[in-house]
């Protein structure tokens, strides 16, 4: 912040995050009894307010309060460390609620935002979008706009907030969970864009984002990738000062993600754009500037100073923001070193013959193949080529026109679309399908996917990331011969994807059953897969699923089809997309090495 800001104390500060919905009489009694300040005869410790809520002032929290939190069941109280000199408190949700420190600076060009789920990215977008007024931590006596703006004196945020206060900045927001759009709109794609179009750009958006074939289709009849591109188009045709895009890469293949990046550059020239995403390739390509979000999920979040995209992503993965001298993670995210491949000498679990399936306007052919025990098979290709149709053929949800899948094979399938329609809590959802009281469930499903904090939440109120974790865990909790996960990375942050990869490898090795993953995150698939299955063809018209092959050959084959090359970052080794037509891009294409990592 500028010179007018107060300085944070030169030692680590601790804050208490209290989930009042989980505070029971038992929680109150433990907090009051074991609070070190209360036991010392002081009055600053945990206490019950006049309205019956458990409370402690921020200034009173000390490291020793962890003793209390460790005794509390169900994570009702968390004591989290806030590193020193991390800026000003921008917003707080309720007494002892989540806190966001600092804000990203909206500037002309595209600003990328990266961080864990529950760390404040959506809160920042809400503030900058004008739907949430920052309270500077004053929960009961919110400050006026002049007070808020003074806190940002001397920064790029100050000018933006002044315009926001005076109604001089307009925004358009693309939501995270595009699969819920059909619940709110039942018209055609073209009709939706006509309603949203303020710049006479809908036809151009339809062309650039390859929506011609679905322009007159109803929104509830199109795929996840198509919904994503429609949502992006509906955002970009608005005539506003700032565009806020929350996870635009979900459900899109690599080629489509780069197409979206080019469309962004063309449509929002001289505008402000903020993009929240967990896909490193997308952020690397679209971002001019970059902010990392760090802290404690559901506790507090801190926004870093602006960095270049390459430096910012690299430092985020390393876990060390060097310019600020802040360690945001104990260990680096080693996302890019492929795991040891399993040898395909296990027991064949499923041998499927050549399969065909024809619809009115689409046909799919799949070459024969074998799936082995303890194998993770990565399945990828452009959207609209039949990957999900193949999954449904294996799972028995569709009958092939030619060929036959072994009817004795039991397949547990996690669909592409996340189902939030269950009318009940998460634990009730699981209890209706599996035994949640066994030791195996606790150690193999509940603990690895951190489900306990979600058990008492209503399924329909879960965030995208929470619902994804629940959906994956539910699929793996079932007793099955083969597990099939469709788009498991959607809505998961970078660290959750790594955790998922490690958990899945352990699960497959222990369980012995193979797992098939359909996804667009090539970095995740390269990391976790033993073999690859590539889908080729003409999107929306015909698709061909090739027999399983080595992962590197599969990725190289796919990238050649979409005409994209990747190189290794010299500092971190992570794959980065080459700029089309660059010298490196031309060299790799000439050598046929599209995935030089």
């Amino acid at each position: 912040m500028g010179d007018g800001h107060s300085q944070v104390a030169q030692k680590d500060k601790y804050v208490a995050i209290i989930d009042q919905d989980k505070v029971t009489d038992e929680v109150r009694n433990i907090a009051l009894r074991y609070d070190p300040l209360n036991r010392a005869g002081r009055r600053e410790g945990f206490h019950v307010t006049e309205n019956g809520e458990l409370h402690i002032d921020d200034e009173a929290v000390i490291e020793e309060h962890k003793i209390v939190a460790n005794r509390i069941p169900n994570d009702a109280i968390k004591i989290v460390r806030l590193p020193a000199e991390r800026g000003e408190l921008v917003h707080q949700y309720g007494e002892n609620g989540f806190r966001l420190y600092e804000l990203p600076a909206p500037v002309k060009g595209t600003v990328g935002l990266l961080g864990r789920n529950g760390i404040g990215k959506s809160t920042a977008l809400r503030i900058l979008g004008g739907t949430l007024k920052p309270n500077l931590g004053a929960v009961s006596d919110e400050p006026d706009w002049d007070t808020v703006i003074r806190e940002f004196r001397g920064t790029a945020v100050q000018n933006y907030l002044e315009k926001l206060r005076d109604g001089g900045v307009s925004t358009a927001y693309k939501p995270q969970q595009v699969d819920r759009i059909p619940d709110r709109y039942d018209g055609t794609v073209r009709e939706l864009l006509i309603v949203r179009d303020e710049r006479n750009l809908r036809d151009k958006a339809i062309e650039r984002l390859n929506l011609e074939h679905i322009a007159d289709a109803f929104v509830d009849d199109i795929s996840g990738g198509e919904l994503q591109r429609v949502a992006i188009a509906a955002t970009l045709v608005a005539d506003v000062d700032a565009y806020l895009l929350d996870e635009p890469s979900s459900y899109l293949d690599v080629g489509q993600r780069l197409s979206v990046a080019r469309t962004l550059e063309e449509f929002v020239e001289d505008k402000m754009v903020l993009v929240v995403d967990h896909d490193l390739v997308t952020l690397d390509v679209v971002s001019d500037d970059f902010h990392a979000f760090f802290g404690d999920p559901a506790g507090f979040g801190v926004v870093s100073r602006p960095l270049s995209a390459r430096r910012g992503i690299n430092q985020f993965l390393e876990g060390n923001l060097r310019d600020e001298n802040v360690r945001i993670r104990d260990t680096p995210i080693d996302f890019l070193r492929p795991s040891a491949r399993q040898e395909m000498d296990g027991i064949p679990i499923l041998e499927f013959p050549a399969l065909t399936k024809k619809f009115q306007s689409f046909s799919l052919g799949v070459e024969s193949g074998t799936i082995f025990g303890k194998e993770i098979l990565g399945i990828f290709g452009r959207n609209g080529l039949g990957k999900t149709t193949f999954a449904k053929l294996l799972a028995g949800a569709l009958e092939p026109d030619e060929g036959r899948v072994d009817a004795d094979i039991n397949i547990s399938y996690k669909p592409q679309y996340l189902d939030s329609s269950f009318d009940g809590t998460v634990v009730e959802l699981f209890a209706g399908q599996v035994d949640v009281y066994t030791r195996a469930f606790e150690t193999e499903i509940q603990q690895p996917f951190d489900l306990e904090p979600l058990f008492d939440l209503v399924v329909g109120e879960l965030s995208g990331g929470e619902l994804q974790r629940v959906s994956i865990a539910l699929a793996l909790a079932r007793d099955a011969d083969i597990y099939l996960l469709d788009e498991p990375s959607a809505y998961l942050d970078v660290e959750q994807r790594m955790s998922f990869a490690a958990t899945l490898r352990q699960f497959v090795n222990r369980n012995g059953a193979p797992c098939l993953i359909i996804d667009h995150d090539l970095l995740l698939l390269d990391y976790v897969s033993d073999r690859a299955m590539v889908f080729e063809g003409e999107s929306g018209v015909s698709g061909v699923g090739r027999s399983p092959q080595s992962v590197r050959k599969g990725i190289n084959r796919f990238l050649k089809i979409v005409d994209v090359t990747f190189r290794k970052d010299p500092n971190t080794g992570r794959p980065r997309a080459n700029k089309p037509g660059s010298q490196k891009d031309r060299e790799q294409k000439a050598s046929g090495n599209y995935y030089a990592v």
Side-chain angles (χ1 to χ4, degrees):
M1 288 294 182
D3 295 336
H5 289 90
S6 59
Q7 296 297 311
V8 180
Q10 291 295 314
K11 67 175 184 178
D12 287 346
K13 177 182 177 181
Y14 292 85
V15 294
I17 309 300
I18 304 175
D19 188 339
Q20 299 292 343
D21 292 335
K22 296 182 179 179
V23 174
T24 62
D25 289 340
E26 179 188 11
V27 170
R28 293 188 187 92
N29 291 337
I30 292 174
L32 298 177
R33 178 180 179 183
Y34 290 99
D35 185 298
L37 299 181
N38 292 345
R39 298 178 75 175
R42 297 166 62 181
R43 298 183 178 181
E44 298 95 338
F46 282 107
H47 58 278
V48 179
T49 64
E50 292 181 357
N51 61 6
E53 291 190 343
L54 188 66
H55 178 72
I56 185 171
D57 291 338
D58 288 347
E59 295 75 15
V61 181
I62 56 178
E63 184 177 8
E64 287 74 11
H65 277 114
K66 290 181 179 179
I67 298 172
V68 180
N70 290 338
R71 290 177 176 269
I72 298 293
N74 298 328
D75 292 326
I77 298 176
K78 294 173 64 179
I79 305 298
V80 297
R81 179 176 64 87
L82 181 64
E85 296 185 301
R86 293 282 68 83
E88 295 296 329
L89 177 57
V90 174
H91 192 78
Q92 179 172 333
Y93 291 97
E95 297 290 345
N96 301 119
F98 177 84
R99 300 153 169 81
L100 176 66
Y101 293 79
E102 299 285 11
L103 278 175
V107 293
K108 287 186 177 180
T110 301
V111 179
L113 309 180
L114 176 65
R116 298 179 67 182
N117 285 329
I119 210 73
K121 301 185 299 299
S122 294
T123 295
L125 287 188
R126 288 182 62 200
I127 291 173
L128 297 173
T131 61
L132 177 68
K133 180 183 175 183
N135 60 21
L136 307 180
V139 176
S140 57
D141 186 18
E142 293 188 357
D144 57 29
W145 267 112
D146 290 340
T147 302
V148 171
I149 290 168
R150 277 198 302 271
E151 288 298 309
F152 294 90
R153 186 166 57 241
T155 71
V157 177
Q158 176 190 2
N159 183 51
Y160 183 90
L161 292 182
E162 286 176 343
K163 292 180 179 179
L164 193 63
R165 175 198 60 188
D166 300 334
V169 61
S170 55
T171 63
Y173 173 66
K174 188 209 77 69
Q176 179 194 79
Q177 291 178 269
V178 296
D179 47 0
R180 294 184 177 179
I181 291 176
D183 297 334
R184 300 190 294 269
Y185 184 82
D186 58 5
T188 67
V189 170
R190 194 184 306 276
E191 290 168 346
L192 172 61
L193 294 182
I194 289 174
V195 171
R196 296 282 298 178
D197 190 6
E198 299 171 340
R199 306 167 66 192
N200 196 27
L201 289 175
R202 62 180 178 274
D203 291 338
K204 188 176 182 180
I206 288 172
E207 177 189 353
R208 294 291 189 272
L209 294 172
N210 192 26
L211 300 173
E212 296 96 332
H213 65 293
I214 60 162
D216 295 311
F218 286 96
V219 170
D220 58 359
D221 289 334
I222 61 180
S223 70
E226 291 165 343
L227 268 175
Q228 183 69 269
R229 285 177 285 141
V230 168
I232 293 169
T235 303
L236 296 183
V237 296
D239 187 11
V240 296
D241 302 302
Y243 298 87
L244 315 176
L245 290 88
D246 202 345
E247 298 203 32
S249 73
S250 296
Y251 304 122
L252 300 186
D253 61 47
V254 170
Q256 290 169 335
R257 292 175 186 185
L258 296 181
S259 175
V260 166
R262 290 190 290 269
T263 305
L264 266 177
E265 184 177 8
E266 182 179 359
F267 274 53
V268 299
E269 186 178 4
D270 294 328
K271 302 277 190 174
M272 294 177 285
V273 185
L274 284 91
V275 177
V276 171
D277 216 303
H278 298 304
D279 181 68
L280 303 181
V281 174
T282 297
L283 283 181
D284 201 10
V285 171
V286 304
S287 303
D288 301 309
D289 294 319
F290 173 89
H291 290 273
F293 281 63
F294 59 95
D296 183 83
F300 72 90
V302 183
V303 184
S304 76
R305 298 168 187 165
L307 294 162
S308 70
R310 178 175 173 271
R311 288 183 63 213
I313 292 174
N314 284 354
Q315 290 183 24
F316 179 85
L317 293 175
E318 292 166 0
N320 185 24
L321 301 181
R322 299 172 187 173
D323 294 353
E324 302 184 45
N325 194 27
V326 179
R327 190 80 196 173
I328 65 173
R329 197 183 310 104
D330 292 336
T331 58
I333 295 179
D334 186 12
F335 206 123
L336 309 162
R337 186 176 61 230
S339 60
R341 312 292 185 196
Q342 296 291 312
E343 295 295 331
M344 293 303 102
D345 56 0
I347 300 173
I349 301 298
L350 176 63
E351 296 184 21
F352 56 90
L355 303 171
T356 64
K357 183 66 179 179
K358 294 183 179 180
F359 301 91
Q360 185 173 357
S361 58
F362 177 77
S363 62
L364 171 66
V366 181
E367 296 178 350
S368 62
T370 301
I371 300 171
F372 296 90
K374 295 187 177 182
E375 170 181 30
I376 298 178
L377 179 64
I379 300 175
F380 49 87
R382 303 202 72 158
N383 278 323
L385 294 178
K387 300 184 300 298
T388 297
T389 299
F390 171 63
K392 292 179 179 179
L393 291 173
L394 289 186
L398 286 175
E399 285 290 331
D401 296 326
E402 296 180 12
R404 179 179 178 275
V405 179
D406 191 340
D408 294 330
I409 292 294
N410 181 21
I411 297 179
S412 179
Y413 174 50
K414 186 206 82 69
Q416 179 189 57
Y417 293 121
L418 304 180
D419 186 3
S420 60
S421 63
F422 181 77
D423 186 18
T425 64
V426 171
V427 73
E428 290 169 345
L429 173 66
F430 276 86
Q433 300 187 41
V434 299
D435 188 349
V436 299
Y437 300 106
T438 66
R439 179 62 178 167
F441 177 83
E442 180 182 357
T443 58
E444 297 177 15
I445 303 297
Q446 177 180 319
Q447 292 177 357
F449 288 98
D450 193 23
L451 294 178
E452 187 172 358
L454 306 179
F455 272 166
D456 294 329
L457 301 182
V458 176
V459 172
E461 298 176 0
L462 296 177
S463 69
E466 291 168 342
L467 188 57
Q468 185 70 273
R469 281 162 48 204
V470 167
S471 300
I472 295 170
L474 185 61
L476 297 182
R478 303 186 190 108
D479 186 19
D481 300 303
I482 295 177
Y483 296 87
L484 204 164
L485 309 178
D486 200 344
E487 299 267 17
S489 75
Y491 308 124
L492 297 186
D493 61 44
V494 175
E495 288 163 270
Q496 288 172 334
R497 293 180 189 193
M498 282 304 301
S499 176
F500 160 68
T503 298
L504 186 64
R505 171 54 64 196
Q506 294 170 0
F507 176 86
V508 168
N509 287 342
R510 180 173 56 246
N511 183 280
C515 182
L516 282 61
I517 300 179
I518 300 172
D519 212 284
H520 291 305
D521 188 336
L522 293 184
L523 310 188
L524 171 67
L525 290 175
D526 188 13
Y527 187 91
V528 75
S529 301
D530 298 308
R531 289 190 301 161
M533 191 170 175
V534 183
F535 277 67
E536 305 171 356
E538 184 179 353
S539 294
V541 178
S542 63
V544 177
R546 299 301 181 187
S547 296
Q549 58 189 294
S550 75
V551 175
R552 288 308 174 93
K553 285 183 179 179
I555 293 180
N556 202 70
R557 181 170 186 160
F558 169 64
L559 291 180
K560 186 173 183 179
I561 293 171
V562 298
D563 199 32
V564 176
T565 60
F566 277 74
R567 70 189 186 281
K568 181 185 294 186
D569 183 272
N571 294 328
T572 65
R574 67 180 176 90
R576 302 180 65 205
N578 291 314
K579 184 177 180 179
S582 66
Q583 180 179 348
K584 192 69 175 175
D585 181 61
R586 295 195 305 270
E587 290 175 354
Q588 288 183 217
K589 287 177 178 176
S591 66
N593 188 11
Y594 283 71
Y595 198 54
V597 297

